[in-house]
Amino acid sequence: MWETIKNANRAIQPEESVEVRVAVLITVMIAVIALLTEHLVSPASTAAGLLGIPIGYYVSHRMRFSDALGLKALLALALIAAVGAFMVNVAGAVQDGFGAVQLALAELFLWVQVVHSMHVPARRDLMFSLASSGVMFAISAALSIRLTIAPFIIAWTVALLAALVLANRSALRDVPALGASPPAITDRAHVPVAASLGAVLIIGIIVFSVLPAAQSSRALSFPSSLASNVPIPNLGDLSNPSLGEGGSTGGEAAAGGFDGRASFGYFGFAEQLDTSIRGRPDESIVMRVRASAPAFWRGQSFDTWDGRVWTQSNEQPLSIGGSEPIGVPRTLGDDALQTQEFLQTFYLERGGPNILFGAYRPTEVYFPDRFLFQLPDGALRTGVEMDAGTVYTVVSARPIVNENDLRSADPLLFGLPDDMSEYLQVPESTPARVLELASGLTADIDTTYDKIRAIEAWMSENTTYTLDIPPLPPGEDAVDHYLFETKQGFCEQIGTSLVVMLRSQGIPARLVVGFTPGERNPFTGLYEVRGNNAHSWAEVYFPGLGWQGFDPTAQVPLSGDFDPSLSGSGLGSYFGDRLGKVMSAAPVVGGTVVAIALAGAALILGSQLVSRRRRNRDRSWSDEMFDKLEAAGRSRGAPRYSTETIREYATRLQGETIPDGALESVVEAISTDRLGPVRLSERERLEVAQELDRILERHEGHRGILATLR
Amino acid sequence: MSKTRLRPTRGSVVMLTLAAAFFVASRTAGAGWLSVMVALLLGMVIWSTIEAWWSVGEVSIDISGPSDAVAGRRFELDVAASAPRGGALIRVGTGRHQVWIDEIMSGRFPITSIRRGVIEAFPVEIRSSGSLGLVTAIRSTFAPLPRPIDVAPMATPVALPMSATMFGKGETSVGGRHTDGETVRSVREYHPGDPLRMINWAVTARRDQLAVKELEAPQSPTLIVSLDLRGDPEVAEKHASLAAGYVQNGLRSGLPVILQTHEKSGPHAGGVGSMLEAGRRLARAIPGPLPAHQDGVWSTVIHLGQRV
């Protein structure tokens, strides 16, 4: 029995190359550091990873010839302990969601690496380490939502390629070399590593472009966490610290504009929306959204319009909090029958309003606080401040509709539910020409859907989208001012005009505020939502289909225009935008980079030219003659081997590719000139050179075996 | 004519498995960076495939060897090879021995031919896994020799027939009939010292005294080895080895040896003065009809073949 165990564990051929071990160690350590920077492991595991693995590799190298039976037994016990700890962690983490399981998994893999590193004697073991470093790195990659992991991916790729190149060279050295002793495995190793890196990046970009995009699946991932737990003073109220003091009313914004305000400080994320306010938040990323498709991230809606300001007629919140997942009840008009499930996870990058954003219509929310409130329009508010770092997941039921559905489910043909009157309210102060315009545009059109499109088309043709519009004069109706005076406006003016004109025709509508999808980052797969993506648009009620969003702002793409079915979707525009910004923002920097690149290229070319000239200047007549002979042999498929003297080479050439008896005497003469005590005279040199030319001409078409084989 | 095929290594299988797992994870967890890792891993395997195919196609080999060899005995080839795109393994012939080459190298490659014959080109197997070693490309080709190698059969130890050693006339067949042959000139009475085998028992019985045969002196005592390779190739090769054994013994005994074979040019009969010459003749022998039997000489004929 003992003999059987010993035989099964006897040492196999160890990896002798220290270089291979170091390359593998670097690859593993990059994966470990990536794990640490994503804050996925405990301090104890961090210390174990940073110290234990390098020590383990040193021990492994020292003990590579040993059976190490005792060590193996210890490592097996350690591995069992690591798996046991993982099971305990998982058991405790089940109620904390899938994210907690992922953290436990990261710990396990790190400890497996630490334990495994103590005994990696053979190349096969080192290759296992490379594979498991890939798995460990994948955990970091799976949980990373930013570009900060990009340098680690590049470094890991370079280290992996170097390890593979060196290991492959080391494996070749297991076989005897033909003739000459082999060079060291690191000899010019940077060349294949650099070539492979370039090729892998090019092929990788092509593969990435055609790879189906990453998608969220409901079955696995419902991340949610709070960055802090600061309760809202009055539960159910709206709080938006980013608007400043008393900002939830939007009043300060009206007075002070957007100067110095936080990125989440869009004036629509308040209890009222004043259309006389000008300006937009900055370009900072306010949140990242993991979703399989773009959507408008809806925040809240307004139903009451007074000609300048939108408010909500009913601010009474309904408490819907509880344990995850929190079910979200239907509200008035949420009567869509055919829906598809749509999972979104929001990662807040900035502190913002206590509004939960999500695609219409949220049905479940994963939010780690027992207080959650729903307003009559379906808007969701939290009971805690929403600080940067907060994560929540929303499951929505997106209505599946097309144009024909919208035409057939006409609110003008079917009866409207009770209490829809708020959504038909038009202030009496609305100028008549606004109502006349609406009537005129929709008079000869049968369906609500086509009426909406007609109004949108008119606004698109007759007004201009711009953020730079004059202030709204006191007492002026915002819609009238936009449609007939300035004919210029941004989403609030445009969306409000659509809602007012539709209501004037008996079509229930409301103004919604939230965010456009933002830009999809092709690497993280997340939508990066910036402060200036804050947006307002119209929602129209369709019986049996619920509320349908309409965005008359031509410059903002409608939801559904973009289909990220491939990972590389938007890759070109992503880089193009950034390059364009860099070049336009800093032409001097761009010019400097180009100038440095050109100067570098000129320097390299110049130095090569100088060195070639110097080489040529130092070359003797015999060198030139031998060069000519070598070139002739090479062109005939018989290059000179590094181990051959010029005489041996000439003898070989004479035997196969240049079968000419005169060659020997010519080579002898050249060798005499080079090595002998007396140099040839100029005349003799000329004769020898002419003879060599004659020989080469006589055997112009003769080709050797090497050439035949090629 | 060369043929190249690809073979994944364990490394590429592991990478593809990881890529598949990461892809599934990216499609469920919505992790875009996993898609990046999938693309990089697939990029490595694809590049390794391209590079292996490319580098194995660029390997060239130049082989030369001795003019003569013996089947079953090791000899060495002079091999010069170039692998411009880095390391490759080459295997010449059908044995297991392989050597590693990098850029331009030359050296000796031990080889053992298991069969006799004339070798004009060697099968060569070139393997390259590129720089990364994830996929191996294997190119099978033939490397022509500047001059052919005659591989003689290994001589099977064998004794010559008595008749040959006694300079008598006889005929021996291996695989066919066997007869002794000697021409008796007269019979005389026995003298001490006469070999026993020369006693003519019939005459002794009639005369009631020992009588011995007096044989005709051999006119041209020659060993004729007649090798017919038609029939089962395995058996034919054994006969070739036997032929080499007979020739070797004949030459050692100082007998003139005539070798009858069939070569590419047709039936061939001729004397061989050395084992080198005999080896070349036997190397070139192929199945086919033999020259007409040589009569009228004092010779021992050894027929080797399945059609004797």
Side-chain angles (χ1 to χ4, degrees), chain A residues 265-329:
Chain A
Y266 170 54
F267 57 83
F269 303 143
E271 288 168 358
Q272 61 179 35
L273 188 154
D274 187 344
T275 56
S276 64
I277 296 174
R278 301 291 182 256
R280 314 293 292 179
D282 63 25
E283 284 193 357
S284 306
I285 295 176
V286 292
M287 60 185 182
R288 299 172 202 270
V289 185
R290 175 165 283 158
S292 56
F296 278 18
W297 318 119
R298 191 178 181 279
Q300 61 180 1
S301 70
F302 299 97
D303 58 5
T304 305
W305 170 244
D306 68 359
R308 295 176 71 95
V309 177
W310 281 101
T311 51
Q312 296 186 55
S313 59
N314 188 348
E315 278 278 339
Q316 291 302 312
L318 170 70
S319 176
I320 59 170
S323 58
E324 291 182 337
I326 301 164
V328 180

Side-chain angles (χ1 to χ4, degrees), chain A residues 102 124 131 134-135 137-139 141-147 149-150 153 156-157 160-161 164-165 168 172-173 175-183 188 192 195-196 199-201 203-204 207-208 211-217 220-221 290 522-526 565 567 639-643 652 656 705-706 709-710, chain B residues 10 14-15 18 22-23 25-44 46-47 50-51 57-63 79-82 84-90 97-109 127 129-134 139 141-146:
Chain A
Q102 286 174 313
R124 186 188 61 189
V135 176
F137 199 94
I139 295 173
L143 298 176
S144 177
I145 60 168
R146 296 182 185 86
L147 289 173
I149 201 170
I153 284 201
W156 181 77
T157 305
L160 177 61
L161 289 173
L164 289 173
V165 166
N168 189 37
L172 281 173
R173 278 154 181 77
V175 175
L178 179 68
S181 58
R188 292 171 55 77
S196 297
V200 166
L201 288 180
I203 297 170
V207 171
F208 184 70
L211 205 64
Q215 274 193 333
S216 296
S217 160
L220 281 178
S221 185
R290 175 165 283 158
F523 299 107
T524 60
L526 272 66
S565 54
S567 289
R640 182 184 165 199
Y641 303 125
S642 54
T643 51
R652 185 159 65 84
E656 44 185 65
I705 290 166
L706 278 169
L709 272 173
R710 280 201 178 104
Chain B
R10 204 180 299 166
V14 170
M15 276 209 174
L18 285 180
F22 295 167
F23 177 69
S26 79
R27 295 284 288 173
T28 50
W33 283 117
L34 283 181
S35 300
V36 175
M37 287 191 73
V38 170
L40 286 173
L41 292 178
L42 290 180
M44 285 181 202
I46 292 169
W47 168 241
I50 294 169
E51 198 193 17
E58 292 208 329
V59 173
S60 55
I61 296 179
D62 182 1
I63 291 175
V79 177
S82 70
R85 294 199 56 78
L89 299 175
I90 56 170
H97 183 70
Q98 56 184 355
V99 291
W100 166 69
I101 55 167
D102 195 4
E103 295 187 350
I104 296 177
M105 290 173 116
S106 60
R108 303 210 143 199
F109 190 95
R127 288 166 178 255
S129 303
S131 321
L132 304 179
L134 297 175
R139 180 157 71 103
T141 185
F142 281 89
L145 291 162

Side-chain angles (χ1 to χ4, degrees), chain A residues 351-371:
Chain A
N354 63 331
I355 297 173
L356 285 192
F357 294 90
Y360 178 77
R361 178 189 74 90
T363 55
E364 285 179 354
V365 172
Y366 290 82
F367 187 74
D369 186 59
R370 60 198 176 95
F371 293 113

Side-chain angles (χ1 to χ4, degrees), chain A residues 2 34 81 84 122 211 223 250 364 377 434 448 469 519 552 565 567-568 574 589 599:
Chain A
W2 177 242
L211 205 64
E364 285 179 354
D377 66 337
V434 172
T448 296
I469 58 173
E519 185 184 25
S565 54
S567 289
Y574 185 83
V589 173

Side-chain angles (χ1 to χ4, degrees), chain A residues 46-192:
Chain A
T46 303
L50 290 177
L51 297 174
I53 294 175
I55 292 171
Y57 271 71
Y58 177 73
V59 171
S60 289
H61 183 65
R62 295 301 299 260
M63 296 182 66
R64 64 191 184 280
F65 297 108
S66 164
D67 286 349
L69 271 179
L71 178 65
K72 281 182 184 173
L74 278 176
L75 296 181
L77 289 174
L79 211 54
I80 291 168
V83 173
F86 168 72
M87 300 303 283
V88 171
N89 286 342
V90 168
V94 165
Q95 62 268 26
D96 296 334
F98 185 71
V101 177
Q102 286 174 313
L103 297 182
L105 203 60
E107 290 261 352
L108 174 67
F109 269 99
L110 182 58
W111 278 103
V112 168
Q113 272 291 357
V114 173
V115 172
H116 177 68
S117 69
M118 299 290 168
H119 190 64
V120 279
R123 193 177 304 126
R124 186 188 61 189
D125 304 312
L126 291 167
M127 293 302 105
F128 174 83
S129 284
L130 283 183
S132 61
S133 84
V135 176
M136 201 160 59
F137 199 94
I139 295 173
S140 310
L143 298 176
S144 177
I145 60 168
R146 296 182 185 86
L147 289 173
T148 47
I149 201 170
F152 290 99
I153 284 201
I154 293 169
W156 181 77
T157 305
V158 173
L160 177 61
L161 289 173
L164 289 173
V165 166
L166 294 176
N168 189 37
R169 286 181 168 201
S170 178
L172 281 173
R173 278 154 181 77
D174 291 345
V175 175
L178 179 68
S181 58
I185 65 168
T186 48
D187 185 44
R188 292 171 55 77
H190 63 281
V191 176

Side-chain angles (χ1 to χ4, degrees), chain A residues 488-679:
Chain A
Q488 290 181 333
F490 44 86
C491 52
E492 284 74 26
Q493 286 75 31
I494 299 169
T496 301
S497 299
L498 178 62
V499 172
V500 169
M501 284 199 276
L502 290 174
R503 285 184 175 186
S504 72
Q505 301 307 303
I507 300 167
R510 62 190 181 188
L511 190 77
V512 184
V513 290
F515 286 99
T516 56
E519 185 184 25
R520 180 177 175 274
N521 184 316
F523 299 107
T524 60
L526 272 66
Y527 291 92
E528 293 174 345
V529 182
R530 298 174 186 276
N532 59 1
N533 288 131
H535 190 53
S536 71
W537 63 96
E539 270 186 355
V540 181
Y541 172 72
F542 286 81
L545 300 177
W547 293 96
Q548 296 298 317
F550 287 90
D551 183 4
T553 311
Q555 278 78 0
V556 181
L558 286 170
S559 172
D561 278 356
F562 180 74
D563 178 18
S565 54
L566 299 176
S567 289
S569 298
L571 194 64
S573 62
Y574 185 83
F575 280 120
D577 287 353
R578 270 141 193 84
L579 193 65
K581 278 178 188 169
V582 168
M583 294 306 281
S584 63
V588 177
V589 173
T592 309
V593 169
V594 171
I596 289 172
L598 287 175
L603 199 66
I604 292 167
L605 286 174
S607 65
Q608 282 181 344
L609 206 64
V610 167
S611 105
R612 185 178 295 172
R613 277 196 179 169
R614 189 174 297 159
R615 220 170 32 234
N616 288 341
R617 195 182 57 205
D618 296 343
R619 293 188 77 70
S620 64
W621 172 82
S622 58
D623 288 333
E624 285 173 15
M625 290 297 104
F626 286 147
D627 283 351
K628 184 183 277 186
L629 183 63
E630 277 194 51
R634 202 162 42 242
S635 70
R636 288 161 173 79
R640 182 184 165 199
Y641 303 125
S642 54
T643 51
E644 275 179 321
T645 65
I646 196 74
R647 281 192 174 114
E648 287 169 343
Y649 180 49
T651 306
R652 185 159 65 84
L653 287 179
Q654 203 172 332
E656 44 185 65
T657 53
I658 308 176
D660 199 310
L663 185 63
E664 190 178 350
S665 55
V666 166
V667 170
E668 196 58 43
I670 300 169
S671 298
T672 304
D673 182 80
R674 186 183 210 176
L675 306 169
V678 182
R679 300 278 181 272

